[in-house]
Amino acid sequence: MAVIIPTIIQAEEVSDQIESKVELTEEQKVGIAKLHKDVLEKKKEVINKYVEYGVYTEEKGKKIASMFDKHYIKLEQNGFIPKWDGKSKHHH
């Protein structure tokens, strides 16, 4: 069985197609928002457990949770259409 792994170029092409052609209905946005909120709360639960177990400091846990919140707000502002361009923001 062959495994197909998309290249960055393919991912960019797919992203460009999605961003330019798709607009979600209000009902779809509500459904996606609920899913994202559920995931957000679960991620925060995981971070809180790491804080509880001493893996992260409380400050670090709050910082990570804040990043999750900012990501959700950005998704909401974009109508829950991901704006992934396939380019890394990190310089190696």
Side-chain angles (χ1 to χ4, degrees), residues 14-49:
V14 169
S15 178
D16 290 344
Q17 292 171 1
I18 291 171
E19 290 177 24
S20 63
K21 295 182 182 179
V22 175
E23 189 170 320
L24 301 176
T25 66
E26 286 306 310
E27 184 178 344
Q28 290 169 330
K29 288 178 189 177
V30 168
I32 291 290
K34 183 185 179 326
L35 290 171
H36 276 290
K37 285 180 182 178
D38 291 347
V39 169
L40 177 64
E41 291 308 311
K42 288 295 182 188
K43 284 181 168 184
K44 287 181 178 181
E45 283 181 39
V46 170
I47 295 305
N48 287 335
K49 283 294 179 186

PDB file of all heavy atoms in Angstrom, residues 14-49:
ATOM      1  N   VAL A  14      -3.163  23.704  -2.445  1.00  0.00           N
ATOM      2  CA  VAL A  14      -4.439  23.379  -1.817  1.00  0.00           C
ATOM      3  C   VAL A  14      -4.902  24.543  -0.966  1.00  0.00           C
ATOM      4  O   VAL A  14      -6.058  24.945  -1.009  1.00  0.00           O
ATOM      5  CB  VAL A  14      -4.324  22.089  -0.959  1.00  0.00           C
ATOM      6  CG1 VAL A  14      -5.552  21.888  -0.104  1.00  0.00           C
ATOM      7  CG2 VAL A  14      -4.099  20.894  -1.856  1.00  0.00           C
ATOM      8  N   SER A  15      -3.991  25.125  -0.188  1.00  0.00           N
ATOM      9  CA  SER A  15      -4.329  26.257   0.671  1.00  0.00           C
ATOM     10  C   SER A  15      -4.842  27.428  -0.171  1.00  0.00           C
ATOM     11  O   SER A  15      -5.832  28.054   0.171  1.00  0.00           O
ATOM     12  CB  SER A  15      -3.111  26.688   1.483  1.00  0.00           C
ATOM     13  OG  SER A  15      -3.424  27.797   2.282  1.00  0.00           O
ATOM     14  N   ASP A  16      -4.158  27.732  -1.269  1.00  0.00           N
ATOM     15  CA  ASP A  16      -4.582  28.825  -2.139  1.00  0.00           C
ATOM     16  C   ASP A  16      -5.981  28.568  -2.684  1.00  0.00           C
ATOM     17  O   ASP A  16      -6.807  29.469  -2.761  1.00  0.00           O
ATOM     18  CB  ASP A  16      -3.607  29.011  -3.298  1.00  0.00           C
ATOM     19  CG  ASP A  16      -2.266  29.567  -2.854  1.00  0.00           C
ATOM     20  OD1 ASP A  16      -2.186  30.087  -1.716  1.00  0.00           O
ATOM     21  OD2 ASP A  16      -1.306  29.481  -3.642  1.00  0.00           O
ATOM     22  N   GLN A  17      -6.258  27.318  -3.062  1.00  0.00           N
ATOM     23  CA  GLN A  17      -7.575  26.982  -3.593  1.00  0.00           C
ATOM     24  C   GLN A  17      -8.644  27.156  -2.528  1.00  0.00           C
ATOM     25  O   GLN A  17      -9.704  27.696  -2.794  1.00  0.00           O
ATOM     26  CB  GLN A  17      -7.583  25.550  -4.111  1.00  0.00           C
ATOM     27  CG  GLN A  17      -6.738  25.340  -5.340  1.00  0.00           C
ATOM     28  CD  GLN A  17      -6.587  23.870  -5.696  1.00  0.00           C
ATOM     29  OE1 GLN A  17      -7.133  22.998  -5.034  1.00  0.00           O
ATOM     30  NE2 GLN A  17      -5.823  23.593  -6.737  1.00  0.00           N
ATOM     31  N   ILE A  18      -8.370  26.703  -1.320  1.00  0.00           N
ATOM     32  CA  ILE A  18      -9.348  26.804  -0.240  1.00  0.00           C
ATOM     33  C   ILE A  18      -9.619  28.262   0.094  1.00  0.00           C
ATOM     34  O   ILE A  18     -10.759  28.684   0.168  1.00  0.00           O
ATOM     35  CB  ILE A  18      -8.853  26.054   1.019  1.00  0.00           C
ATOM     36  CG1 ILE A  18      -8.844  24.551   0.761  1.00  0.00           C
ATOM     37  CG2 ILE A  18      -9.723  26.373   2.221  1.00  0.00           C
ATOM     38  CD1 ILE A  18      -8.174  23.743   1.853  1.00  0.00           C
ATOM     39  N   GLU A  19      -8.570  29.035   0.294  1.00  0.00           N
ATOM     40  CA  GLU A  19      -8.723  30.414   0.703  1.00  0.00           C
ATOM     41  C   GLU A  19      -9.468  31.255  -0.329  1.00  0.00           C
ATOM     42  O   GLU A  19     -10.209  32.146   0.027  1.00  0.00           O
ATOM     43  CB  GLU A  19      -7.361  31.040   0.986  1.00  0.00           C
ATOM     44  CG  GLU A  19      -6.722  30.470   2.234  1.00  0.00           C
ATOM     45  CD  GLU A  19      -5.340  31.039   2.488  1.00  0.00           C
ATOM     46  OE1 GLU A  19      -5.043  32.145   2.009  1.00  0.00           O
ATOM     47  OE2 GLU A  19      -4.570  30.362   3.161  1.00  0.00           O
ATOM     48  N   SER A  20      -9.302  30.963  -1.594  1.00  0.00           N
ATOM     49  CA  SER A  20      -9.902  31.809  -2.606  1.00  0.00           C
ATOM     50  C   SER A  20     -11.314  31.381  -3.005  1.00  0.00           C
ATOM     51  O   SER A  20     -12.038  32.170  -3.578  1.00  0.00           O
ATOM     52  CB  SER A  20      -9.003  31.851  -3.845  1.00  0.00           C
ATOM     53  OG  SER A  20      -8.905  30.561  -4.416  1.00  0.00           O
ATOM     54  N   LYS A  21     -11.725  30.164  -2.688  1.00  0.00           N
ATOM     55  CA  LYS A  21     -12.994  29.678  -3.210  1.00  0.00           C
ATOM     56  C   LYS A  21     -14.060  29.372  -2.170  1.00  0.00           C
ATOM     57  O   LYS A  21     -15.213  29.260  -2.513  1.00  0.00           O
ATOM     58  CB  LYS A  21     -12.758  28.408  -4.032  1.00  0.00           C
ATOM     59  CG  LYS A  21     -11.929  28.644  -5.271  1.00  0.00           C
ATOM     60  CD  LYS A  21     -11.763  27.373  -6.054  1.00  0.00           C
ATOM     61  CE  LYS A  21     -10.883  27.625  -7.268  1.00  0.00           C
ATOM     62  NZ  LYS A  21     -10.672  26.444  -8.053  1.00  0.00           N
ATOM     63  N   VAL A  22     -13.686  29.238  -0.912  1.00  0.00           N
ATOM     64  CA  VAL A  22     -14.634  28.733   0.069  1.00  0.00           C
ATOM     65  C   VAL A  22     -15.029  29.812   1.059  1.00  0.00           C
ATOM     66  O   VAL A  22     -14.186  30.548   1.562  1.00  0.00           O
ATOM     67  CB  VAL A  22     -14.031  27.534   0.844  1.00  0.00           C
ATOM     68  CG1 VAL A  22     -14.959  27.080   1.947  1.00  0.00           C
ATOM     69  CG2 VAL A  22     -13.727  26.402  -0.108  1.00  0.00           C
ATOM     70  N   GLU A  23     -16.327  29.897   1.298  1.00  0.00           N
ATOM     71  CA  GLU A  23     -16.834  30.742   2.372  1.00  0.00           C
ATOM     72  C   GLU A  23     -17.882  29.915   3.096  1.00  0.00           C
ATOM     73  O   GLU A  23     -18.800  29.374   2.473  1.00  0.00           O
ATOM     74  CB  GLU A  23     -17.438  32.028   1.815  1.00  0.00           C
ATOM     75  CG  GLU A  23     -17.778  33.012   2.906  1.00  0.00           C
ATOM     76  CD  GLU A  23     -18.161  34.375   2.363  1.00  0.00           C
ATOM     77  OE1 GLU A  23     -17.524  34.835   1.403  1.00  0.00           O
ATOM     78  OE2 GLU A  23     -19.111  34.949   2.903  1.00  0.00           O
ATOM     79  N   LEU A  24     -17.733  29.804   4.392  1.00  0.00           N
ATOM     80  CA  LEU A  24     -18.645  28.973   5.166  1.00  0.00           C
ATOM     81  C   LEU A  24     -19.955  29.698   5.435  1.00  0.00           C
ATOM     82  O   LEU A  24     -19.979  30.921   5.596  1.00  0.00           O
ATOM     83  CB  LEU A  24     -17.992  28.587   6.498  1.00  0.00           C
ATOM     84  CG  LEU A  24     -16.687  27.815   6.404  1.00  0.00           C
ATOM     85  CD1 LEU A  24     -16.101  27.591   7.791  1.00  0.00           C
ATOM     86  CD2 LEU A  24     -16.877  26.486   5.699  1.00  0.00           C
ATOM     87  N   THR A  25     -21.020  28.913   5.507  1.00  0.00           N
ATOM     88  CA  THR A  25     -22.306  29.481   5.901  1.00  0.00           C
ATOM     89  C   THR A  25     -22.275  29.740   7.403  1.00  0.00           C
ATOM     90  O   THR A  25     -21.400  29.236   8.109  1.00  0.00           O
ATOM     91  CB  THR A  25     -23.458  28.502   5.594  1.00  0.00           C
ATOM     92  OG1 THR A  25     -23.309  27.350   6.433  1.00  0.00           O
ATOM     93  CG2 THR A  25     -23.488  28.108   4.128  1.00  0.00           C
ATOM     94  N   GLU A  26     -23.226  30.486   7.906  1.00  0.00           N
ATOM     95  CA  GLU A  26     -23.285  30.749   9.346  1.00  0.00           C
ATOM     96  C   GLU A  26     -23.438  29.442  10.124  1.00  0.00           C
ATOM     97  O   GLU A  26     -22.824  29.267  11.169  1.00  0.00           O
ATOM     98  CB  GLU A  26     -24.420  31.718   9.674  1.00  0.00           C
ATOM     99  CG  GLU A  26     -24.131  33.152   9.287  1.00  0.00           C
ATOM    100  CD  GLU A  26     -22.819  33.690   9.869  1.00  0.00           C
ATOM    101  OE1 GLU A  26     -22.589  33.543  11.085  1.00  0.00           O
ATOM    102  OE2 GLU A  26     -22.024  34.252   9.106  1.00  0.00           O
ATOM    103  N   GLU A  27     -24.251  28.538   9.606  1.00  0.00           N
ATOM    104  CA  GLU A  27     -24.434  27.240  10.274  1.00  0.00           C
ATOM    105  C   GLU A  27     -23.118  26.463  10.329  1.00  0.00           C
ATOM    106  O   GLU A  27     -22.784  25.865  11.351  1.00  0.00           O
ATOM    107  CB  GLU A  27     -25.492  26.424   9.536  1.00  0.00           C
ATOM    108  CG  GLU A  27     -25.831  25.106  10.197  1.00  0.00           C
ATOM    109  CD  GLU A  27     -26.914  24.328   9.467  1.00  0.00           C
ATOM    110  OE1 GLU A  27     -27.632  24.910   8.626  1.00  0.00           O
ATOM    111  OE2 GLU A  27     -27.030  23.133   9.745  1.00  0.00           O
ATOM    112  N   GLN A  28     -22.368  26.491   9.229  1.00  0.00           N
ATOM    113  CA  GLN A  28     -21.073  25.810   9.198  1.00  0.00           C
ATOM    114  C   GLN A  28     -20.096  26.456  10.176  1.00  0.00           C
ATOM    115  O   GLN A  28     -19.367  25.764  10.887  1.00  0.00           O
ATOM    116  CB  GLN A  28     -20.496  25.830   7.777  1.00  0.00           C
ATOM    117  CG  GLN A  28     -21.251  24.946   6.809  1.00  0.00           C
ATOM    118  CD  GLN A  28     -20.829  25.176   5.370  1.00  0.00           C
ATOM    119  OE1 GLN A  28     -20.427  26.285   4.991  1.00  0.00           O
ATOM    120  NE2 GLN A  28     -20.917  24.134   4.556  1.00  0.00           N
ATOM    121  N   LYS A  29     -20.098  27.793  10.218  1.00  0.00           N
ATOM    122  CA  LYS A  29     -19.217  28.507  11.143  1.00  0.00           C
ATOM    123  C   LYS A  29     -19.531  28.143  12.593  1.00  0.00           C
ATOM    124  O   LYS A  29     -18.628  27.953  13.399  1.00  0.00           O
ATOM    125  CB  LYS A  29     -19.329  30.017  10.953  1.00  0.00           C
ATOM    126  CG  LYS A  29     -18.693  30.514   9.685  1.00  0.00           C
ATOM    127  CD  LYS A  29     -18.897  32.011   9.546  1.00  0.00           C
ATOM    128  CE  LYS A  29     -18.465  32.507   8.189  1.00  0.00           C
ATOM    129  NZ  LYS A  29     -18.724  33.945   8.014  1.00  0.00           N
ATOM    130  N   VAL A  30     -20.814  28.041  12.916  1.00  0.00           N
ATOM    131  CA  VAL A  30     -21.221  27.673  14.279  1.00  0.00           C
ATOM    132  C   VAL A  30     -20.713  26.271  14.611  1.00  0.00           C
ATOM    133  O   VAL A  30     -20.179  26.034  15.695  1.00  0.00           O
ATOM    134  CB  VAL A  30     -22.759  27.769  14.443  1.00  0.00           C
ATOM    135  CG1 VAL A  30     -23.226  27.117  15.729  1.00  0.00           C
ATOM    136  CG2 VAL A  30     -23.201  29.228  14.392  1.00  0.00           C
ATOM    137  N   GLY A  31     -20.845  25.342  13.672  1.00  0.00           N
ATOM    138  CA  GLY A  31     -20.381  23.978  13.894  1.00  0.00           C
ATOM    139  C   GLY A  31     -18.876  23.903  14.071  1.00  0.00           C
ATOM    140  O   GLY A  31     -18.371  23.249  14.989  1.00  0.00           O
ATOM    141  N   ILE A  32     -18.150  24.599  13.211  1.00  0.00           N
ATOM    142  CA  ILE A  32     -16.688  24.619  13.304  1.00  0.00           C
ATOM    143  C   ILE A  32     -16.251  25.321  14.585  1.00  0.00           C
ATOM    144  O   ILE A  32     -15.318  24.880  15.260  1.00  0.00           O
ATOM    145  CB  ILE A  32     -16.065  25.301  12.059  1.00  0.00           C
ATOM    146  CG1 ILE A  32     -16.259  24.455  10.812  1.00  0.00           C
ATOM    147  CG2 ILE A  32     -14.594  25.626  12.283  1.00  0.00           C
ATOM    148  CD1 ILE A  32     -15.450  23.176  10.782  1.00  0.00           C
ATOM    149  N   ALA A  33     -16.930  26.411  14.936  1.00  0.00           N
ATOM    150  CA  ALA A  33     -16.595  27.136  16.164  1.00  0.00           C
ATOM    151  C   ALA A  33     -16.733  26.227  17.375  1.00  0.00           C
ATOM    152  O   ALA A  33     -15.867  26.212  18.256  1.00  0.00           O
ATOM    153  CB  ALA A  33     -17.485  28.366  16.323  1.00  0.00           C
ATOM    154  N   LYS A  34     -17.798  25.445  17.421  1.00  0.00           N
ATOM    155  CA  LYS A  34     -18.006  24.534  18.546  1.00  0.00           C
ATOM    156  C   LYS A  34     -16.882  23.504  18.618  1.00  0.00           C
ATOM    157  O   LYS A  34     -16.340  23.242  19.695  1.00  0.00           O
ATOM    158  CB  LYS A  34     -19.351  23.829  18.447  1.00  0.00           C
ATOM    159  CG  LYS A  34     -19.625  22.921  19.639  1.00  0.00           C
ATOM    160  CD  LYS A  34     -20.892  22.127  19.491  1.00  0.00           C
ATOM    161  CE  LYS A  34     -21.156  21.212  20.658  1.00  0.00           C
ATOM    162  NZ  LYS A  34     -20.037  20.616  21.330  1.00  0.00           N
ATOM    163  N   LEU A  35     -16.512  22.939  17.487  1.00  0.00           N
ATOM    164  CA  LEU A  35     -15.419  21.965  17.466  1.00  0.00           C
ATOM    165  C   LEU A  35     -14.106  22.594  17.949  1.00  0.00           C
ATOM    166  O   LEU A  35     -13.387  22.017  18.756  1.00  0.00           O
ATOM    167  CB  LEU A  35     -15.233  21.391  16.061  1.00  0.00           C
ATOM    168  CG  LEU A  35     -16.328  20.456  15.561  1.00  0.00           C
ATOM    169  CD1 LEU A  35     -16.115  20.141  14.085  1.00  0.00           C
ATOM    170  CD2 LEU A  35     -16.361  19.186  16.377  1.00  0.00           C
ATOM    171  N   HIS A  36     -13.805  23.792  17.445  1.00  0.00           N
ATOM    172  CA  HIS A  36     -12.577  24.470  17.851  1.00  0.00           C
ATOM    173  C   HIS A  36     -12.592  24.799  19.342  1.00  0.00           C
ATOM    174  O   HIS A  36     -11.577  24.672  20.021  1.00  0.00           O
ATOM    175  CB  HIS A  36     -12.349  25.740  17.031  1.00  0.00           C
ATOM    176  CG  HIS A  36     -11.671  25.496  15.722  1.00  0.00           C
ATOM    177  ND1 HIS A  36     -10.365  25.122  15.617  1.00  0.00           N
ATOM    178  CD2 HIS A  36     -12.136  25.578  14.447  1.00  0.00           C
ATOM    179  CE1 HIS A  36     -10.031  24.980  14.340  1.00  0.00           C
ATOM    180  NE2 HIS A  36     -11.095  25.251  13.614  1.00  0.00           N
ATOM    181  N   LYS A  37     -13.747  25.230  19.851  1.00  0.00           N
ATOM    182  CA  LYS A  37     -13.847  25.536  21.286  1.00  0.00           C
ATOM    183  C   LYS A  37     -13.640  24.276  22.118  1.00  0.00           C
ATOM    184  O   LYS A  37     -12.981  24.320  23.165  1.00  0.00           O
ATOM    185  CB  LYS A  37     -15.191  26.184  21.610  1.00  0.00           C
ATOM    186  CG  LYS A  37     -15.268  27.627  21.174  1.00  0.00           C
ATOM    187  CD  LYS A  37     -16.615  28.236  21.512  1.00  0.00           C
ATOM    188  CE  LYS A  37     -16.702  29.671  21.017  1.00  0.00           C
ATOM    189  NZ  LYS A  37     -18.006  30.273  21.284  1.00  0.00           N
ATOM    190  N   ASP A  38     -14.211  23.167  21.670  1.00  0.00           N
ATOM    191  CA  ASP A  38     -14.023  21.890  22.380  1.00  0.00           C
ATOM    192  C   ASP A  38     -12.542  21.510  22.416  1.00  0.00           C
ATOM    193  O   ASP A  38     -12.012  21.117  23.458  1.00  0.00           O
ATOM    194  CB  ASP A  38     -14.831  20.769  21.724  1.00  0.00           C
ATOM    195  CG  ASP A  38     -16.334  20.928  21.887  1.00  0.00           C
ATOM    196  OD1 ASP A  38     -16.775  21.758  22.710  1.00  0.00           O
ATOM    197  OD2 ASP A  38     -17.083  20.215  21.172  1.00  0.00           O
ATOM    198  N   VAL A  39     -11.874  21.635  21.268  1.00  0.00           N
ATOM    199  CA  VAL A  39     -10.445  21.313  21.187  1.00  0.00           C
ATOM    200  C   VAL A  39      -9.653  22.277  22.074  1.00  0.00           C
ATOM    201  O   VAL A  39      -8.746  21.852  22.800  1.00  0.00           O
ATOM    202  CB  VAL A  39      -9.945  21.369  19.722  1.00  0.00           C
ATOM    203  CG1 VAL A  39      -8.432  21.310  19.653  1.00  0.00           C
ATOM    204  CG2 VAL A  39     -10.574  20.251  18.913  1.00  0.00           C
ATOM    205  N   LEU A  40     -10.003  23.555  22.038  1.00  0.00           N
ATOM    206  CA  LEU A  40      -9.320  24.565  22.842  1.00  0.00           C
ATOM    207  C   LEU A  40      -9.411  24.220  24.329  1.00  0.00           C
ATOM    208  O   LEU A  40      -8.408  24.268  25.049  1.00  0.00           O
ATOM    209  CB  LEU A  40      -9.937  25.939  22.572  1.00  0.00           C
ATOM    210  CG  LEU A  40      -9.406  27.125  23.365  1.00  0.00           C
ATOM    211  CD1 LEU A  40      -7.944  27.388  23.049  1.00  0.00           C
ATOM    212  CD2 LEU A  40     -10.241  28.360  23.075  1.00  0.00           C
ATOM    213  N   GLU A  41     -10.593  23.852  24.775  1.00  0.00           N
ATOM    214  CA  GLU A  41     -10.764  23.504  26.191  1.00  0.00           C
ATOM    215  C   GLU A  41      -9.959  22.260  26.561  1.00  0.00           C
ATOM    216  O   GLU A  41      -9.366  22.193  27.631  1.00  0.00           O
ATOM    217  CB  GLU A  41     -12.245  23.321  26.522  1.00  0.00           C
ATOM    218  CG  GLU A  41     -13.033  24.621  26.489  1.00  0.00           C
ATOM    219  CD  GLU A  41     -12.408  25.735  27.336  1.00  0.00           C
ATOM    220  OE1 GLU A  41     -12.065  25.482  28.515  1.00  0.00           O
ATOM    221  OE2 GLU A  41     -12.247  26.855  26.816  1.00  0.00           O
ATOM    222  N   LYS A  42      -9.923  21.271  25.679  1.00  0.00           N
ATOM    223  CA  LYS A  42      -9.134  20.057  25.942  1.00  0.00           C
ATOM    224  C   LYS A  42      -7.644  20.387  26.007  1.00  0.00           C
ATOM    225  O   LYS A  42      -6.919  19.877  26.861  1.00  0.00           O
ATOM    226  CB  LYS A  42      -9.397  18.982  24.882  1.00  0.00           C
ATOM    227  CG  LYS A  42     -10.747  18.338  24.996  1.00  0.00           C
ATOM    228  CD  LYS A  42     -10.845  17.562  26.294  1.00  0.00           C
ATOM    229  CE  LYS A  42     -12.179  16.871  26.415  1.00  0.00           C
ATOM    230  NZ  LYS A  42     -12.356  16.286  27.737  1.00  0.00           N
ATOM    231  N   LYS A  43      -7.173  21.242  25.088  1.00  0.00           N
ATOM    232  CA  LYS A  43      -5.763  21.632  25.110  1.00  0.00           C
ATOM    233  C   LYS A  43      -5.431  22.330  26.430  1.00  0.00           C
ATOM    234  O   LYS A  43      -4.379  22.088  27.022  1.00  0.00           O
ATOM    235  CB  LYS A  43      -5.444  22.569  23.941  1.00  0.00           C
ATOM    236  CG  LYS A  43      -5.328  21.892  22.605  1.00  0.00           C
ATOM    237  CD  LYS A  43      -4.982  22.929  21.556  1.00  0.00           C
ATOM    238  CE  LYS A  43      -4.575  22.295  20.255  1.00  0.00           C
ATOM    239  NZ  LYS A  43      -4.140  23.310  19.272  1.00  0.00           N
ATOM    240  N   LYS A  44      -6.330  23.194  26.877  1.00  0.00           N
ATOM    241  CA  LYS A  44      -6.112  23.901  28.134  1.00  0.00           C
ATOM    242  C   LYS A  44      -6.112  22.921  29.309  1.00  0.00           C
ATOM    243  O   LYS A  44      -5.339  23.089  30.260  1.00  0.00           O
ATOM    244  CB  LYS A  44      -7.162  24.979  28.341  1.00  0.00           C
ATOM    245  CG  LYS A  44      -6.963  26.182  27.435  1.00  0.00           C
ATOM    246  CD  LYS A  44      -8.031  27.222  27.707  1.00  0.00           C
ATOM    247  CE  LYS A  44      -7.856  28.457  26.872  1.00  0.00           C
ATOM    248  NZ  LYS A  44      -8.882  29.462  27.157  1.00  0.00           N
ATOM    249  N   GLU A  45      -6.960  21.903  29.263  1.00  0.00           N
ATOM    250  CA  GLU A  45      -6.960  20.873  30.310  1.00  0.00           C
ATOM    251  C   GLU A  45      -5.610  20.173  30.372  1.00  0.00           C
ATOM    252  O   GLU A  45      -5.078  19.917  31.458  1.00  0.00           O
ATOM    253  CB  GLU A  45      -8.062  19.837  30.048  1.00  0.00           C
ATOM    254  CG  GLU A  45      -9.450  20.288  30.399  1.00  0.00           C
ATOM    255  CD  GLU A  45     -10.486  19.197  30.142  1.00  0.00           C
ATOM    256  OE1 GLU A  45     -10.193  18.003  30.402  1.00  0.00           O
ATOM    257  OE2 GLU A  45     -11.580  19.543  29.668  1.00  0.00           O
ATOM    258  N   VAL A  46      -5.055  19.853  29.207  1.00  0.00           N
ATOM    259  CA  VAL A  46      -3.748  19.195  29.157  1.00  0.00           C
ATOM    260  C   VAL A  46      -2.684  20.111  29.764  1.00  0.00           C
ATOM    261  O   VAL A  46      -1.874  19.672  30.599  1.00  0.00           O
ATOM    262  CB  VAL A  46      -3.375  18.800  27.707  1.00  0.00           C
ATOM    263  CG1 VAL A  46      -1.929  18.341  27.618  1.00  0.00           C
ATOM    264  CG2 VAL A  46      -4.313  17.727  27.188  1.00  0.00           C
ATOM    265  N   ILE A  47      -2.682  21.373  29.382  1.00  0.00           N
ATOM    266  CA  ILE A  47      -1.698  22.318  29.914  1.00  0.00           C
ATOM    267  C   ILE A  47      -1.863  22.446  31.427  1.00  0.00           C
ATOM    268  O   ILE A  47      -0.874  22.462  32.171  1.00  0.00           O
ATOM    269  CB  ILE A  47      -1.824  23.696  29.218  1.00  0.00           C
ATOM    270  CG1 ILE A  47      -1.477  23.581  27.729  1.00  0.00           C
ATOM    271  CG2 ILE A  47      -0.940  24.744  29.906  1.00  0.00           C
ATOM    272  CD1 ILE A  47      -0.119  22.979  27.441  1.00  0.00           C
ATOM    273  N   ASN A  48      -3.099  22.514  31.911  1.00  0.00           N
ATOM    274  CA  ASN A  48      -3.337  22.610  33.353  1.00  0.00           C
ATOM    275  C   ASN A  48      -2.801  21.384  34.089  1.00  0.00           C
ATOM    276  O   ASN A  48      -2.284  21.504  35.204  1.00  0.00           O
ATOM    277  CB  ASN A  48      -4.822  22.815  33.648  1.00  0.00           C
ATOM    278  CG  ASN A  48      -5.280  24.214  33.283  1.00  0.00           C
ATOM    279  OD1 ASN A  48      -4.494  25.153  33.249  1.00  0.00           O
ATOM    280  ND2 ASN A  48      -6.570  24.356  32.999  1.00  0.00           N
ATOM    281  N   LYS A  49      -2.908  20.220  33.485  1.00  0.00           N
ATOM    282  CA  LYS A  49      -2.350  19.007  34.098  1.00  0.00           C
ATOM    283  C   LYS A  49      -0.826  19.093  34.162  1.00  0.00           C
ATOM    284  O   LYS A  49      -0.214  18.724  35.157  1.00  0.00           O
ATOM    285  CB  LYS A  49      -2.771  17.740  33.334  1.00  0.00           C
ATOM    286  CG  LYS A  49      -4.183  17.319  33.622  1.00  0.00           C
ATOM    287  CD  LYS A  49      -4.309  16.898  35.079  1.00  0.00           C
ATOM    288  CE  LYS A  49      -5.739  16.504  35.387  1.00  0.00           C
ATOM    289  NZ  LYS A  49      -5.922  16.237  36.820  1.00  0.00           N
TER     290      LYS A  49
END
